[in-house]
mmCIF file of all heavy atoms in Angstrom:
data_model
loop_
_atom_site.group_PDB
_atom_site.id
_atom_site.type_symbol
_atom_site.label_atom_id
_atom_site.label_comp_id
_atom_site.label_asym_id
_atom_site.label_seq_id
_atom_site.Cartn_x
_atom_site.Cartn_y
_atom_site.Cartn_z
ATOM 1 N N THR A 417 -11.662 -33.852 4.951
ATOM 2 C CA THR A 417 -11.677 -35.239 4.521
ATOM 3 C C THR A 417 -11.195 -35.354 3.084
ATOM 4 O O THR A 417 -11.503 -34.511 2.237
ATOM 5 C CB THR A 417 -13.101 -35.834 4.645
ATOM 6 O OG1 THR A 417 -13.124 -37.132 4.070
ATOM 7 C CG2 THR A 417 -14.118 -34.954 3.945
ATOM 8 N N GLU A 418 -10.459 -36.396 2.808
ATOM 9 C CA GLU A 418 -9.942 -36.614 1.464
ATOM 10 C C GLU A 418 -11.058 -36.864 0.472
ATOM 11 O O GLU A 418 -10.946 -36.530 -0.716
ATOM 12 C CB GLU A 418 -8.966 -37.791 1.465
ATOM 13 C CG GLU A 418 -8.304 -38.048 0.128
ATOM 14 C CD GLU A 418 -7.335 -39.212 0.169
ATOM 15 O OE1 GLU A 418 -7.030 -39.707 1.270
ATOM 16 O OE2 GLU A 418 -6.888 -39.639 -0.915
ATOM 17 N N ASP A 419 -12.167 -37.408 0.934
ATOM 18 C CA ASP A 419 -13.282 -37.712 0.048
ATOM 19 C C ASP A 419 -13.906 -36.456 -0.562
ATOM 20 O O ASP A 419 -14.657 -36.542 -1.529
ATOM 21 C CB ASP A 419 -14.365 -38.496 0.803
ATOM 22 C CG ASP A 419 -13.895 -39.884 1.200
ATOM 23 O OD1 ASP A 419 -12.945 -40.382 0.546
ATOM 24 O OD2 ASP A 419 -14.449 -40.461 2.142
ATOM 25 N N ALA A 420 -13.607 -35.284 0.009
ATOM 26 C CA ALA A 420 -14.159 -34.043 -0.530
ATOM 27 C C ALA A 420 -13.393 -33.554 -1.750
ATOM 28 O O ALA A 420 -13.859 -32.664 -2.464
ATOM 29 C CB ALA A 420 -14.160 -32.970 0.546
ATOM 30 N N LEU A 421 -12.217 -34.137 -2.016
ATOM 31 C CA LEU A 421 -11.404 -33.709 -3.147
ATOM 32 C C LEU A 421 -11.938 -34.277 -4.453
ATOM 33 O O LEU A 421 -12.466 -35.398 -4.493
ATOM 34 C CB LEU A 421 -9.957 -34.156 -2.954
ATOM 35 C CG LEU A 421 -9.186 -33.545 -1.783
ATOM 36 C CD1 LEU A 421 -7.829 -34.223 -1.646
ATOM 37 C CD2 LEU A 421 -9.017 -32.041 -1.971
ATOM 38 N N ASP A 422 -11.777 -33.519 -5.520
ATOM 39 C CA ASP A 422 -12.130 -34.007 -6.842
ATOM 40 C C ASP A 422 -11.158 -35.117 -7.235
ATOM 41 O O ASP A 422 -9.927 -34.936 -7.190
ATOM 42 C CB ASP A 422 -12.066 -32.863 -7.851
ATOM 43 C CG ASP A 422 -12.457 -33.315 -9.239
ATOM 44 O OD1 ASP A 422 -13.659 -33.422 -9.498
ATOM 45 O OD2 ASP A 422 -11.541 -33.548 -10.057
ATOM 46 N N ALA A 423 -11.699 -36.264 -7.610
ATOM 47 C CA ALA A 423 -10.863 -37.434 -7.877
ATOM 48 C C ALA A 423 -9.866 -37.201 -9.003
ATOM 49 O O ALA A 423 -8.752 -37.741 -8.989
ATOM 50 C CB ALA A 423 -11.749 -38.641 -8.196
ATOM 51 N N GLY A 424 -10.224 -36.379 -9.969
ATOM 52 C CA GLY A 424 -9.342 -36.154 -11.106
ATOM 53 C C GLY A 424 -8.206 -35.179 -10.836
ATOM 54 O O GLY A 424 -7.327 -35.004 -11.686
ATOM 55 N N HIS A 425 -8.197 -34.556 -9.675
ATOM 56 C CA HIS A 425 -7.164 -33.558 -9.376
ATOM 57 C C HIS A 425 -6.462 -33.819 -8.043
ATOM 58 O O HIS A 425 -5.823 -32.926 -7.487
ATOM 59 C CB HIS A 425 -7.785 -32.152 -9.349
ATOM 60 C CG HIS A 425 -8.297 -31.695 -10.679
ATOM 61 N ND1 HIS A 425 -9.573 -31.996 -11.115
ATOM 62 C CD2 HIS A 425 -7.707 -30.990 -11.679
ATOM 63 C CE1 HIS A 425 -9.752 -31.474 -12.319
ATOM 64 N NE2 HIS A 425 -8.640 -30.872 -12.691
ATOM 65 N N LYS A 426 -6.567 -35.044 -7.539
ATOM 66 C CA LYS A 426 -5.929 -35.348 -6.261
ATOM 67 C C LYS A 426 -4.413 -35.244 -6.327
ATOM 68 O O LYS A 426 -3.745 -34.993 -5.329
ATOM 69 C CB LYS A 426 -6.335 -36.743 -5.788
ATOM 70 C CG LYS A 426 -7.731 -36.817 -5.193
ATOM 71 C CD LYS A 426 -7.981 -38.166 -4.549
ATOM 72 C CE LYS A 426 -9.357 -38.217 -3.909
ATOM 73 N NZ LYS A 426 -9.608 -39.532 -3.230
ATOM 74 N N ASP A 427 -3.869 -35.439 -7.539
ATOM 75 C CA ASP A 427 -2.417 -35.387 -7.653
ATOM 76 C C ASP A 427 -1.869 -33.977 -7.417
ATOM 77 O O ASP A 427 -0.697 -33.792 -7.120
ATOM 78 C CB ASP A 427 -1.981 -35.874 -9.037
ATOM 79 C CG ASP A 427 -2.608 -35.069 -10.167
ATOM 80 O OD1 ASP A 427 -3.765 -34.619 -10.000
ATOM 81 O OD2 ASP A 427 -1.947 -34.894 -11.201
ATOM 82 N N LYS A 428 -2.755 -32.983 -7.506
ATOM 83 C CA LYS A 428 -2.336 -31.602 -7.280
ATOM 84 C C LYS A 428 -2.765 -31.095 -5.914
ATOM 85 O O LYS A 428 -2.489 -29.941 -5.551
ATOM 86 C CB LYS A 428 -2.905 -30.687 -8.365
ATOM 87 C CG LYS A 428 -2.413 -31.014 -9.768
ATOM 88 C CD LYS A 428 -3.018 -30.051 -10.775
ATOM 89 C CE LYS A 428 -2.494 -30.325 -12.185
ATOM 90 N NZ LYS A 428 -2.850 -31.652 -12.674
ATOM 91 N N ALA A 429 -3.453 -31.924 -5.141
ATOM 92 C CA ALA A 429 -3.926 -31.515 -3.813
ATOM 93 C C ALA A 429 -2.818 -31.645 -2.780
ATOM 94 O O ALA A 429 -1.801 -32.308 -3.000
ATOM 95 C CB ALA A 429 -5.132 -32.350 -3.405
ATOM 96 N N GLN A 430 -3.043 -31.012 -1.655
ATOM 97 C CA GLN A 430 -2.055 -31.012 -0.572
ATOM 98 C C GLN A 430 -2.712 -31.525 0.704
ATOM 99 O O GLN A 430 -3.816 -31.105 1.064
ATOM 100 C CB GLN A 430 -1.536 -29.581 -0.368
ATOM 101 C CG GLN A 430 -0.375 -29.472 0.597
ATOM 102 C CD GLN A 430 0.145 -28.037 0.694
ATOM 103 O OE1 GLN A 430 -0.558 -27.093 0.359
ATOM 104 N NE2 GLN A 430 1.363 -27.875 1.150
ATOM 105 N N ARG A 431 -2.020 -32.455 1.365
ATOM 106 C CA ARG A 431 -2.502 -32.966 2.650
ATOM 107 C C ARG A 431 -1.602 -32.457 3.756
ATOM 108 O O ARG A 431 -0.374 -32.565 3.683
ATOM 109 C CB ARG A 431 -2.507 -34.494 2.668
ATOM 110 C CG ARG A 431 -2.979 -35.088 3.993
ATOM 111 C CD ARG A 431 -2.949 -36.611 3.964
ATOM 112 N NE ARG A 431 -3.427 -37.199 5.203
ATOM 113 C CZ ARG A 431 -2.668 -37.470 6.252
ATOM 114 N NH1 ARG A 431 -1.354 -37.216 6.212
ATOM 115 N NH2 ARG A 431 -3.173 -38.014 7.332
ATOM 116 N N LEU A 432 -2.212 -31.893 4.789
ATOM 117 C CA LEU A 432 -1.486 -31.353 5.932
ATOM 118 C C LEU A 432 -1.986 -32.033 7.186
ATOM 119 O O LEU A 432 -3.180 -32.328 7.321
ATOM 120 C CB LEU A 432 -1.710 -29.838 6.035
ATOM 121 C CG LEU A 432 -1.338 -29.024 4.787
ATOM 122 C CD1 LEU A 432 -1.932 -27.633 4.863
ATOM 123 C CD2 LEU A 432 0.170 -28.957 4.645
ATOM 124 N N SER A 433 -1.086 -32.305 8.124
ATOM 125 C CA SER A 433 -1.502 -33.000 9.338
ATOM 126 C C SER A 433 -0.705 -32.519 10.537
ATOM 127 O O SER A 433 0.395 -31.977 10.409
ATOM 128 C CB SER A 433 -1.332 -34.521 9.183
ATOM 129 O OG SER A 433 0.033 -34.833 8.957
ATOM 130 N N ALA A 434 -1.306 -32.712 11.708
ATOM 131 C CA ALA A 434 -0.668 -32.397 12.991
ATOM 132 C C ALA A 434 -0.747 -33.646 13.847
ATOM 133 O O ALA A 434 -1.823 -34.010 14.360
ATOM 134 C CB ALA A 434 -1.369 -31.222 13.660
ATOM 135 N N ALA A 435 0.381 -34.339 14.012
ATOM 136 C CA ALA A 435 0.398 -35.661 14.640
ATOM 137 C C ALA A 435 -0.021 -35.632 16.092
ATOM 138 O O ALA A 435 -0.530 -36.639 16.616
ATOM 139 C CB ALA A 435 1.793 -36.279 14.503
ATOM 140 N N HIS A 436 0.174 -34.515 16.790
ATOM 141 C CA HIS A 436 -0.127 -34.487 18.223
ATOM 142 C C HIS A 436 -1.607 -34.215 18.501
ATOM 143 O O HIS A 436 -2.048 -34.276 19.650
ATOM 144 C CB HIS A 436 0.710 -33.409 18.911
ATOM 145 C CG HIS A 436 0.357 -32.010 18.489
ATOM 146 N ND1 HIS A 436 -0.486 -31.207 19.221
ATOM 147 C CD2 HIS A 436 0.726 -31.286 17.407
ATOM 148 C CE1 HIS A 436 -0.609 -30.033 18.612
ATOM 149 N NE2 HIS A 436 0.113 -30.068 17.503
ATOM 150 N N MET A 437 -2.392 -33.909 17.449
ATOM 151 C CA MET A 437 -3.811 -33.605 17.629
ATOM 152 C C MET A 437 -4.643 -34.874 17.567
ATOM 153 O O MET A 437 -4.309 -35.811 16.835
ATOM 154 C CB MET A 437 -4.277 -32.629 16.547
ATOM 155 C CG MET A 437 -3.607 -31.263 16.604
ATOM 156 S SD MET A 437 -4.183 -30.280 17.994
ATOM 157 C CE MET A 437 -5.869 -29.965 17.486
ATOM 158 N N PRO A 438 -5.761 -34.935 18.305
ATOM 159 C CA PRO A 438 -6.650 -36.107 18.198
ATOM 160 C C PRO A 438 -7.232 -36.197 16.803
ATOM 161 O O PRO A 438 -7.558 -35.184 16.175
ATOM 162 C CB PRO A 438 -7.731 -35.831 19.252
ATOM 163 C CG PRO A 438 -7.672 -34.369 19.502
ATOM 164 C CD PRO A 438 -6.260 -33.960 19.287
ATOM 165 N N LEU A 439 -7.381 -37.424 16.296
ATOM 166 C CA LEU A 439 -7.785 -37.635 14.914
ATOM 167 C C LEU A 439 -9.238 -37.260 14.674
ATOM 168 O O LEU A 439 -10.104 -37.459 15.541
ATOM 169 C CB LEU A 439 -7.563 -39.096 14.523
ATOM 170 C CG LEU A 439 -6.101 -39.593 14.517
ATOM 171 C CD1 LEU A 439 -6.064 -41.089 14.259
ATOM 172 C CD2 LEU A 439 -5.297 -38.823 13.475
ATOM 173 N N ASP A 440 -9.484 -36.720 13.469
ATOM 174 C CA ASP A 440 -10.841 -36.499 12.957
ATOM 175 C C ASP A 440 -11.700 -35.649 13.887
ATOM 176 O O ASP A 440 -12.897 -35.895 14.066
ATOM 177 C CB ASP A 440 -11.548 -37.845 12.708
ATOM 178 C CG ASP A 440 -10.779 -38.708 11.729
ATOM 179 O OD1 ASP A 440 -10.205 -38.142 10.785
ATOM 180 O OD2 ASP A 440 -10.759 -39.928 11.921
ATOM 181 N N ARG A 441 -11.071 -34.628 14.457
ATOM 182 C CA ARG A 441 -11.840 -33.726 15.318
ATOM 183 C C ARG A 441 -11.502 -32.276 14.980
ATOM 184 O O ARG A 441 -10.374 -31.964 14.604
ATOM 185 C CB ARG A 441 -11.544 -34.003 16.798
ATOM 186 C CG ARG A 441 -12.242 -35.274 17.297
ATOM 187 C CD ARG A 441 -11.723 -35.694 18.640
ATOM 188 N NE ARG A 441 -11.828 -34.639 19.634
ATOM 189 C CZ ARG A 441 -11.209 -34.682 20.812
ATOM 190 N NH1 ARG A 441 -10.442 -35.715 21.117
ATOM 191 N NH2 ARG A 441 -11.353 -33.705 21.676
ATOM 192 N N MET A 442 -12.494 -31.421 15.114
ATOM 193 C CA MET A 442 -12.308 -29.981 14.986
ATOM 194 C C MET A 442 -12.518 -29.367 16.361
ATOM 195 O O MET A 442 -13.597 -29.501 16.952
ATOM 196 C CB MET A 442 -13.294 -29.378 13.981
ATOM 197 C CG MET A 442 -13.145 -29.927 12.569
ATOM 198 S SD MET A 442 -14.115 -28.999 11.352
ATOM 199 C CE MET A 442 -15.752 -29.136 12.046
ATOM 200 N N ILE A 443 -11.498 -28.721 16.876
ATOM 201 C CA ILE A 443 -11.546 -28.189 18.240
ATOM 202 C C ILE A 443 -11.755 -26.688 18.167
ATOM 203 O O ILE A 443 -10.910 -25.943 17.656
ATOM 204 C CB ILE A 443 -10.262 -28.533 19.005
ATOM 205 C CG1 ILE A 443 -10.149 -30.062 19.103
ATOM 206 C CG2 ILE A 443 -10.255 -27.888 20.379
ATOM 207 C CD1 ILE A 443 -8.855 -30.536 19.682
ATOM 208 N N LEU A 444 -12.898 -26.258 18.655
ATOM 209 C CA LEU A 444 -13.263 -24.859 18.610
ATOM 210 C C LEU A 444 -12.372 -24.031 19.521
ATOM 211 O O LEU A 444 -12.076 -24.424 20.657
ATOM 212 C CB LEU A 444 -14.731 -24.708 19.032
ATOM 213 C CG LEU A 444 -15.410 -23.379 18.722
ATOM 214 C CD1 LEU A 444 -15.533 -23.176 17.222
ATOM 215 C CD2 LEU A 444 -16.793 -23.347 19.376
ATOM 216 N N ALA A 445 -11.922 -22.884 19.005
ATOM 217 C CA ALA A 445 -11.108 -21.965 19.796
ATOM 218 C C ALA A 445 -11.878 -20.663 19.976
ATOM 219 O O ALA A 445 -12.699 -20.286 19.146
ATOM 220 C CB ALA A 445 -9.772 -21.702 19.108
ATOM 221 N N SER A 446 -11.612 -19.979 21.056
ATOM 222 C CA SER A 446 -12.290 -18.719 21.336
ATOM 223 C C SER A 446 -11.280 -17.590 21.383
ATOM 224 O O SER A 446 -10.090 -17.799 21.620
ATOM 225 C CB SER A 446 -13.045 -18.793 22.670
ATOM 226 O OG SER A 446 -12.141 -19.040 23.741
ATOM 227 N N GLY A 447 -11.756 -16.379 21.124
ATOM 228 C CA GLY A 447 -10.876 -15.220 21.151
ATOM 229 C C GLY A 447 -10.764 -14.579 19.781
ATOM 230 O O GLY A 447 -11.570 -14.821 18.878
ATOM 231 N N SER A 448 -9.744 -13.753 19.624
ATOM 232 C CA SER A 448 -9.547 -12.991 18.399
ATOM 233 C C SER A 448 -8.301 -13.477 17.677
ATOM 234 O O SER A 448 -7.188 -13.365 18.192
ATOM 235 C CB SER A 448 -9.406 -11.500 18.723
ATOM 236 O OG SER A 448 -9.066 -10.755 17.576
ATOM 237 N N PHE A 449 -8.493 -13.992 16.466
ATOM 238 C CA PHE A 449 -7.378 -14.435 15.631
ATOM 239 C C PHE A 449 -6.923 -13.236 14.807
ATOM 240 O O PHE A 449 -7.385 -13.012 13.683
ATOM 241 C CB PHE A 449 -7.812 -15.588 14.726
ATOM 242 C CG PHE A 449 -6.669 -16.271 14.015
ATOM 243 C CD1 PHE A 449 -6.149 -17.459 14.499
ATOM 244 C CD2 PHE A 449 -6.109 -15.721 12.879
ATOM 245 C CE1 PHE A 449 -5.100 -18.092 13.850
ATOM 246 C CE2 PHE A 449 -5.060 -16.339 12.218
ATOM 247 C CZ PHE A 449 -4.543 -17.532 12.717
ATOM 248 N N SER A 450 -6.002 -12.447 15.357
ATOM 249 C CA SER A 450 -5.523 -11.239 14.675
ATOM 250 C C SER A 450 -4.318 -10.703 15.425
ATOM 251 O O SER A 450 -4.060 -11.079 16.589
ATOM 252 C CB SER A 450 -6.614 -10.171 14.628
ATOM 253 O OG SER A 450 -6.962 -9.767 15.942
ATOM 254 N N ALA A 451 -3.569 -9.834 14.764
ATOM 255 C CA ALA A 451 -2.433 -9.191 15.411
ATOM 256 C C ALA A 451 -2.914 -8.441 16.645
ATOM 257 O O ALA A 451 -3.877 -7.685 16.588
ATOM 258 C CB ALA A 451 -1.746 -8.231 14.443
ATOM 259 N N GLY A 452 -2.243 -8.685 17.772
ATOM 260 C CA GLY A 452 -2.633 -8.066 19.023
ATOM 261 C C GLY A 452 -3.726 -8.802 19.775
ATOM 262 O O GLY A 452 -4.056 -8.439 20.913
ATOM 263 N N GLY A 453 -4.308 -9.849 19.182
ATOM 264 C CA GLY A 453 -5.371 -10.600 19.831
ATOM 265 C C GLY A 453 -4.838 -11.845 20.527
ATOM 266 O O GLY A 453 -3.628 -12.071 20.641
#
Side-chain angles (χ1 to χ4, degrees):
T417 173
E418 184 179 350
D419 293 338
L421 295 173
D422 181 80
H425 294 87
K426 283 189 178 182
D427 58 327
K428 297 180 178 62
Q430 188 177 21
R431 179 181 181 271
L432 304 165
S433 61
H436 66 97
M437 296 288 292
L439 296 174
D440 302 323
R441 284 168 55 193
M442 299 190 303
I443 298 173
L444 195 66
S446 61
S448 173
F449 191 99
S450 63

